[in-house]
Amino acid sequence: MASLASVLIIGDGTAGTVVANKLKFLAGKRAEVRVVGNSQRHYYKGDFMFIPLKLKDYKECYKPPEFLFNAGIDYVKEEVVRVNVDQRLVTLRSGRTLSYDYLVIASGARLAPEEVPGFEGEARHFYTLQRAMELQEYMDSFQGGNLVIGQCAGPISYPSSTFEFALMARDYLESKGLLQKSKIHFLMPSLGIYSDSSTAGKIASLLGSKGIEVHKEFEVNTVNPKNKEVISVKGEKLNYSLLVAVPPHRGQRFVKDSSLGDDMGFIEVDRNTLNLKEHPEVFVAGDAAKLPIDKTGSAAHFQATYIANRIAMEVGGNYTPSTYMGENAFNAATSVGRGMTFYSSYSSSPKATFESMSDFLIKWTYSSTYFSSVVRGLI
Ligand SMILES: Cc1cc2nc3c(=O)[nH]c(=O)nc-3n(C[C@H](O)[C@H](O)[C@H](O)COP(=O)(O)OP(=O)(O)OC[C@H]3O[C@@H](n4cnc5c(N)ncnc54)[C@H](O)[C@@H]3O)c2cc1C
């Protein structure tokens, strides 16, 4: 690549910010790095599951996005409405167009509660800060009964959040003296981490040992507010007093409008190079990508690191072939005070460490590491 390469990154969340910061550091003056993003705040979403249970203050989980980009990165606060990969052009809501030599799509996923009849206004969740704070009020006023925790059908961001929330909610109810008057039900989907029988078995026995009832292969299809009933894709029914369910996830609208995604708006990429088919100059990272691994911030971080290294090598003229191997590693809470780490890759199904207090503490305090080092591209 001759002289200055122009790299355009769509998305100012985890993957986009890591790619930008690492690339600017690695490629220096050989790359002009520009990020287009439309978020008002950059959230560390891992904290959202603690907020309803009053385990963290909401003020620790966000920063202004502009604060997180290292010097020399051009940050354009706008919405992307279309991408033309044949012409190498990105169109913004204002009508402005941006060209590129390399494009990184890191636009994450959007929540689509409207796709599940009866969901809106009835099911609660913690997948945005606002909803997490509302759920805190519902948990506060919960006086016992059936607490049902699960997710809607399809891939979601960080699918282990639901079993972690169920285990911590159990401790929360116990601390309020409500455990005897309550029954916690966990709706276990069949995708991703749960599709591995040994991992699913381990999670189910952990939940079972804490008195939480596990309903296998139960993905929410419909909510019936009148009967306080949740109905699975397979037609199974369950009554709830309080329903906590992660809404369906879809890719961003511009992905569909640009004919880049599948039916759900997720973008199919080569699993080892993260390139769009026939477009070695276009990469996709994070929740926006359709890959055979769970969507997590950890995977987004591994992918962003791979992409930044690849582009830096290419613009530096010293490219040696390298591959992304599906690495994923995250700390899961298994109670208030204990946790375990899950590791996986394309060639290895999820393996979990022993439960420990340090795993919980790493998770509980991770927002400061995230904002000071992870998104800044230092680790
Ligand atoms: C409750 C919860 C808990 C989680 N806990 C963990 C955890 O403990 N560990 C872990 O590893 N992962 C966790 N995750 C997952 C992790 O947060 C995501 O996988 C990660 O944020 C994905 O990064 P991303 O960059 O792909 O998407 P995002 O971080 O969502 O960023 C996407 C960005 O693109 C921008 N964007 C979207 N559309 C446009 C557009 N049209 N134009 C311009 N910009 C656009 C958005 O504004 C956003 O800033 C959790 C997620 C949730 C919801």
Side-chain angles (χ1 to χ4, degrees):
M1 178 72 50
S3 63
L4 197 70
S6 115
V7 182
L8 181 60
I9 299 161
I10 303 176
D12 50 359
T14 305
T17 310
V18 175
V19 174
N21 285 332
K22 280 190 187 270
L23 183 60
K24 194 67 213 165
F25 177 68
L26 293 168
K29 293 198 168 113
R30 289 189 298 271
E32 180 190 69
V33 181
R34 177 177 279 164
V35 179
V36 190
N38 65 347
S39 55
Q40 295 309 308
R41 290 169 171 178
H42 184 127
Y43 292 104
Y44 173 65
K45 297 179 203 167
D47 275 359
F48 291 176
M49 73 177 84
F50 293 119
I51 289 167
L53 306 173
K54 297 187 181 165
L55 294 169
K56 282 214 87 164
D57 187 330
Y58 76 93
K59 292 188 195 101
E60 289 171 47
C61 76
Y62 61 85
K63 295 267 183 270
E66 38 282 319
F67 175 80
L68 300 171
F69 293 109
N70 294 338
I73 293 167
D74 180 23
Y75 178 43
V76 180
K77 210 167 186 79
E78 272 239 39
E79 184 192 350
V80 169
V81 292
R82 205 168 287 264
V83 175
N84 186 325
V85 287
D86 296 320
Q87 294 179 359
R88 296 195 182 191
L89 277 183
V90 169
T91 307
L92 310 183
R93 169 78 54 208
S94 61
R96 184 180 168 193
T97 53
L98 302 173
S99 60
Y100 59 83
D101 297 315
Y102 290 95
L103 177 68
V104 180
I105 304 176
S107 47
R110 69 185 166 89
L111 304 181
E114 68 283 358
E115 304 236 336
V116 170
F119 188 99
E120 284 184 283
E122 180 66 7
R124 314 293 158 202
H125 66 85
F126 51 88
Y127 264 54
T128 63
L129 178 57
Q130 192 190 339
R131 295 286 181 232
M133 291 172 79
E134 283 169 18
L135 179 56
Q136 189 183 90
E137 288 173 26
Y138 285 99
M139 290 300 294
D140 218 12
S141 54
F142 184 72
Q143 289 304 314
N146 268 359
L147 172 58
V148 174
I149 299 163
Q151 67 163 85
C152 297
I156 63 164
S157 188
Y158 200 59
S160 61
S161 71
T162 48
F163 88 73
E164 294 180 48
F165 186 77
L167 288 163
M168 290 194 291
R170 182 220 165 266
D171 291 358
Y172 173 87
L173 294 181
E174 187 175 42
S175 72
K176 291 183 73 181
L178 287 169
L179 204 52
Q180 305 310 322
K181 292 202 265 171
S182 313
K183 179 83 196 162
I184 304 178
H185 297 262
F186 176 67
L187 312 180
M188 183 183 272
S190 46
L191 288 173
I193 191 171
Y194 304 103
S195 63
D196 179 75
S197 57
S198 113
T199 310
K202 187 165 186 159
I203 294 170
S205 61
L206 191 59
L207 291 155
S209 71
K210 303 278 180 84
I212 297 169
E213 191 169 330
V214 177
H215 302 259
K216 288 197 175 151
E217 295 184 19
F218 195 123
E219 284 139 30
V220 175
N221 187 48
T222 314
V223 179
N224 182 339
K226 206 165 134 232
N227 298 349
K228 291 273 172 200
E229 192 175 65
V230 61
I231 303 151
S232 78
V233 172
K234 292 184 170 177
E236 205 180 326
K237 294 180 178 174
L238 187 64
N239 284 104
Y240 58 82
S241 314
L242 176 59
L243 172 63
V244 179
V246 180
H249 283 42
R250 298 289 181 264
Q252 304 297 349
R253 292 207 166 79
F254 79 85
V255 171
K256 203 165 177 209
D257 294 343
S258 311
S259 305
L260 290 175
D262 66 4
D263 288 354
M264 292 189 179
F266 296 116
I267 310 172
E268 202 140 356
V269 285
D270 182 291
R271 63 185 228 156
N272 292 121
T273 64
L274 304 177
N275 283 128
L276 201 62
K277 204 173 172 197
E278 289 165 16
H279 286 278
E281 76 289 359
V282 181
F283 295 86
V284 185
D287 290 359
K290 183 177 181 180
L291 285 166
I293 54 167
D294 282 334
K295 297 180 188 302
T296 69
S298 158
H301 182 216
F302 277 112
Q303 292 157 18
T305 304
Y306 166 77
I307 292 169
N309 280 314
R310 262 276 308 272
I311 298 177
M313 281 196 285
E314 287 190 22
V315 301
N318 60 349
Y319 175 62
T320 40
S322 59
T323 48
Y324 167 68
M325 298 304 293
E327 296 89 347
N328 208 347
F330 57 88
N331 293 98
T334 52
S335 68
V336 176
R338 292 175 82 74
M340 51 171 61
T341 303
F342 285 83
Y343 300 93
S344 62
S345 70
Y346 291 144
S347 57
S348 152
S349 52
K351 304 267 178 304
T353 56
F354 293 109
E355 279 184 272
S356 73
M357 190 192 282
S358 58
D359 276 305
F360 180 83
L361 287 176
I362 290 169
K363 185 172 184 95
W364 189 61
T365 57
Y366 201 70
S367 58
S368 54
T369 312
Y370 178 83
F371 286 123
S372 63
S373 313
V374 176
V375 281
R376 289 217 168 263
L378 299 177
I379 53 175

